Amino acid sequence: MQQLLQDVIVLAKETGEFIRQESRKFDHSKIEYKGKNDLVSYVDKEAEKRIVAGLSKILPGAGFIAEEGTSTKKSDTYNWIVDPLDGTTNFAHGIPVYAVSIALMKRNELTMGVVYEINRDECFHAVKGQGAFLNHFPITVSPIKTLDKSLLATGFPYYNFEQMSQYLVILDEFMKSTHGLRRMGSAAVDLAYTACGRFEGFFEYNLQPWDVAAGALIVKEAGGMVSDFKGGDDYIFGRQIIAGNEVQPAMQQLIQEHWF
Ligand code: IPD
Ligand code: CA
Ligand code: CA
């Protein structure tokens, strides 16, 4: 597992370097659309091709759940969950917050997660049962115990607005009861920052497995808690996530109260 981890970290950083180089010559004419407000570009696609090719060499036989569909091969045991560029809208607009996110799942269990925040050169990683790390130094979630001293992160709805009114009530409640909320534009970064104590918690709905898989394991290995909006375990494929330190149960209670 250690060798595998080192190889994945090298691959995430190499891909990050490619994305960083491309960001210098990127302009709006290169944006493509997968759906309303769902941006993509040759950079996302090329980055994913490089990651899938690299991972296929590192662990032959493993399958993939990859955002841009470079490989749809599935395995009964090991599957990689890949977001080559989490934060594409930021990337396209020159906002420097985006990351490479790679997770490994063994059957239904996350076993490894790597989130590389490209422009800060910060690599977060975790292996199940072995703790969480930032650039190889151990990290833990924040020691803050109450919501009134917490800074939270979220992601705004941007294509499916059906549950907007409930979401706005939750935002209203958190705005009044915390130090504030941030919308970084990359769920992988939100989770990584929760793992190292910059945020006390993060919540979002309508996310995909590749947005959250690596980051969720990193939060848990950093001593945090992760659940869906009902407090259950369906946060990888269930499109709802609440991650946090000790304030996570209080966040979950408030969200559940207003979510239907
Ligand atoms: C997006 C980011 C964003 C979140 C969106 C995701 P992408 O991923 O994680 O923070 O709010 O829901 O789709 O499209 O940039 O890979
Ligand atoms: Ca994403
Ligand atoms: Ca992406």
Side-chain angles (χ1 to χ4, degrees), residues 4-245:
L4 196 66
L5 173 69
Q6 294 319 318
D7 291 349
V8 175
I9 289 174
V10 168
L11 182 61
K13 288 188 171 185
E14 281 173 2
T15 310
E17 180 53 31
F18 161 73
I19 295 170
R20 196 165 29 230
Q21 297 290 342
E22 293 303 316
S23 73
R24 297 192 182 116
K25 44 189 184 218
F26 197 82
D27 67 61
H28 287 218
S29 68
K30 292 167 181 150
I31 298 173
E32 300 161 41
Y33 290 89
K34 293 190 281 186
K36 181 180 165 62
N37 291 338
D38 193 2
L39 282 57
V40 71
S41 74
Y42 73 93
V43 180
D44 304 61
K45 294 178 204 170
E46 175 60 26
E48 189 173 286
K49 275 188 203 152
R50 291 175 182 220
I51 293 170
V52 167
L55 294 175
S56 300
K57 281 193 201 135
I58 293 171
L59 192 63
F64 289 93
I65 299 170
E67 177 170 19
E68 310 306 341
T70 307
S71 171
T72 51
K73 186 180 101 177
K74 295 282 173 308
S75 151
D76 291 338
T77 44
Y78 285 107
N79 286 290
W80 295 103
I81 307 183
V82 178
D83 192 334
L85 174 43
D86 187 57
T88 295
T89 304
N90 280 348
F91 176 85
H93 288 268
I95 311 292
V97 182
Y98 38 85
V100 175
S101 177
I102 302 173
L104 181 62
M105 201 165 222
K106 185 178 182 187
R107 298 200 177 84
N108 292 322
E109 196 173 57
L110 290 170
T111 58
M112 181 194 294
V114 173
V115 171
Y116 179 52
E117 195 196 339
I118 296 165
N119 289 309
R120 285 177 60 97
D121 191 24
E122 288 192 330
C123 191
F124 299 83
H125 83 257
V127 170
K128 188 164 172 59
Q130 295 181 19
F133 299 83
L134 163 51
N135 289 345
H136 296 287
F137 289 98
I139 51 172
T140 58
V141 291
S142 154
I144 301 274
K145 292 184 188 316
T146 53
L147 273 178
D148 65 335
K149 302 237 169 9
S150 293
L151 183 65
L152 304 183
T154 187
F156 302 147
Y158 60 96
Y159 67 96
N160 177 350
F161 303 107
E162 280 169 23
Q163 284 158 302
M164 190 63 137
S165 56
Q166 303 158 53
Y167 178 74
L168 290 177
V169 172
I170 293 165
L171 275 193
D172 181 317
E173 294 280 340
F174 280 141
M175 279 179 194
K176 291 172 185 160
S177 60
T178 66
H179 276 183
L181 289 123
R182 298 289 180 269
R183 199 288 193 249
M184 302 293 285
S186 162
V189 169
D190 294 321
L191 287 161
Y193 283 17
T194 302
C196 70
R198 293 174 186 162
F199 293 129
E200 277 63 46
F202 162 67
F203 72 100
E204 186 166 347
Y205 69 101
N206 269 336
L207 289 175
Q208 300 284 350
W210 44 78
D211 300 314
V212 296
L217 181 67
I218 297 170
V219 170
K220 287 182 91 171
E221 287 297 322
M225 290 174 250
V226 187
S227 78
D228 57 36
F229 282 10
K230 288 188 180 136
D233 283 338
D234 193 15
Y235 54 83
I236 303 291
F237 295 95
R239 313 195 75 173
Q240 299 176 345
I241 189 163
I242 309 169
N245 71 341

